[in-house]
Amino acid sequence: MDAMTLQTQAERFLAELKRSPQTVRAYRADLRHLTTWLDETGHTLNGEGLDAYFAAHQQWAASTRNRKQTALERFCRWALQRELLERDPTLHLERPSLPPPHPRGLRREEIERIFAEIPAEQARDALLFRLVFETGLRIGEALGAHVEDLDLTRGDEHLTVLGKGSRKRTVLLDDPRLVNLLRRYLRTLGYTRGPLFQARKNGRGGPLRYQSVQERWQGYAERASVTCTLHQLRHSHATELVNGGVSLATIRKRLGHQHIQTTLRYAEVSDQTTDAEVRKWRRQR
């Protein structure tokens, strides 16, 4: 397909594309850029032409190339279905590796707004989400916890969890409100061994599934008009620790990270905390 034909068919493709106006605008710009380059260099839309195109723009960030490649792949699939192309020239293209997104924490006030939407009769939900938020547990670790993993010795309350790589760690339960919720919740259970958070549907009694927990959390978040994923509860806890002056080594152990580099992704210190540390350093000089 030459550049002129590509430009005409790209507009047909965009007219049929059922995406947001922003996505359509982005795809149009990406396809026009490719069309212009092919026309100026004499290349055509084939494997060799695409290799030359991306090789000529190696300065693009991985996210930019990824977006352009997505637009091109969708167009080529569309053209292939309409027999405008004999073969898909994008099949051999490799996706650039993207750095993991920086997780974003929420302020405690926002999390508490979500908790306020949990009905009083849903004590299990209230405890589960409070446990994840106040300890930084992975949701899978919380769902895998058993009653016998708890040690509620007064003044030294702990929970032992099985983390990634089947590594056990003991997490301090240092929040009084969380400990009180735990004690009240345990008094309502009719068993002393087994999953801490059981599914009640059909009397199955097995551990809760991640999907059902995620759906319940999203429902509470929507009612509170707060956008927050389950994983953001964990990050919000880590961010509070960082801003509270807790060392990265301690945070790494509490969150169950094998490498300190993972913890550094969570260590987004607030401007206020940064300013306070710089002022303290200045006064000590």
Side-chain angles (χ1 to χ4, degrees):
M1 188 183 297
D2 59 30
M4 188 62 68
T5 305
L6 171 58
Q7 185 173 348
T8 302
Q9 298 304 333
E11 287 302 322
R12 280 186 57 200
F13 160 72
L14 293 168
E16 297 177 17
L17 186 65
K18 291 180 173 56
R19 293 290 187 275
S20 69
Q22 295 87 346
T23 300
V24 173
R25 283 197 297 271
Y27 279 19
R28 177 172 283 112
D30 291 337
L31 291 172
R32 282 181 177 174
H33 185 274
L34 172 64
T35 300
T36 301
W37 187 89
L38 291 175
D39 186 45
E40 291 175 348
T41 60
H43 284 89
T44 57
L45 183 59
N46 55 27
E48 182 182 347
L50 291 184
D51 285 341
Y53 175 66
F54 286 113
H57 299 91
Q58 294 184 23
Q59 76 279 11
W60 283 339
S63 57
T64 300
R65 166 159 176 162
N66 233 5
R67 190 199 68 235
K68 290 179 178 292
Q69 195 167 321
T70 297
L72 182 56
E73 287 172 352
R74 288 182 176 171
F75 168 73
C76 287
R77 283 200 299 271
W78 174 90
L80 202 61
Q81 291 170 354
R82 286 154 183 78
E83 299 182 350
L84 300 171
L85 290 173
E86 292 183 5
R87 61 180 63 86
D88 188 343
T90 68
L91 291 178
H92 73 292
L93 295 177
E94 293 185 4
R95 284 277 178 175
S97 58
L98 294 172
H102 186 85
R104 185 180 70 87
L106 276 76
R107 297 189 305 275
R108 178 169 284 268
E109 310 89 80
E110 296 175 293
I111 302 295
E112 293 293 350
R113 276 171 52 194
I114 302 176
F115 286 159
E117 294 295 330
I118 303 177
E121 61 270 19
Q122 296 294 342
R124 182 195 61 188
D125 289 359
L127 173 60
L128 171 61
F129 299 132
R130 176 74 63 181
L131 177 65
V132 173
F133 177 51
E134 299 292 0
T135 63
L137 290 179
R138 300 178 179 92
I139 187 64
E141 293 170 343
L143 294 177
H146 282 58
V147 176
E148 56 267 33
D149 297 328
L150 282 166
D151 181 350
L152 295 184
T153 302
R154 291 196 178 274
D156 190 27
E157 293 88 352
H158 288 81
L159 172 65
T160 300
V161 297
L162 190 65
K164 282 188 175 182
S166 298
R167 293 187 297 271
K168 281 189 176 183
R169 74 179 188 282
T170 301
V171 179
L172 176 67
L173 304 175
D174 58 315
D175 181 70
R177 180 164 40 177
L178 171 62
V179 172
N180 288 335
L181 280 175
L182 265 169
R183 293 187 192 282
R184 289 201 300 270
Y185 176 74
L186 289 176
R187 287 196 291 268
T188 68
L189 298 182
Y191 56 91
T192 57
R193 299 184 67 83
L196 182 59
F197 301 104
Q198 283 192 356
R200 303 191 186 104
K201 188 175 182 180
N202 301 324
R204 183 164 54 89
L208 280 169
R209 294 184 302 114
Y210 175 85
Q211 183 178 357
S212 62
V213 169
Q214 186 180 41
E215 289 173 357
R216 297 176 78 86
W217 173 254
Q218 289 305 317
Y220 297 135
E222 287 171 10
R223 273 184 248 166
S225 299
V226 177
T227 302
C228 178
T229 66
L230 273 176
H231 186 70
Q232 282 178 293
L233 288 177
R234 174 172 161 88
H235 179 51
S236 299
H237 177 69
T239 303
E240 279 196 347
L241 294 180
V242 172
N243 290 336
V246 179
S247 71
L248 289 179
T250 297
I251 296 172
R252 181 187 71 82
K253 186 174 181 181
R254 185 167 176 85
L255 297 183
H257 291 154
Q258 187 173 10
H259 304 291
I260 194 68
Q261 288 82 359
T262 307
T263 312
L264 288 170
R265 291 180 49 238
Y266 286 77
E268 185 61 34
V269 183
S270 70
D271 291 342
Q272 184 179 1
T273 302
T274 303
D275 292 347
E277 287 192 9
V278 172
R279 289 191 183 104
K280 180 180 178 181
W281 169 77
R282 182 67 65 183
R283 287 195 299 269
Q284 293 173 343
R285 290 188 64 191

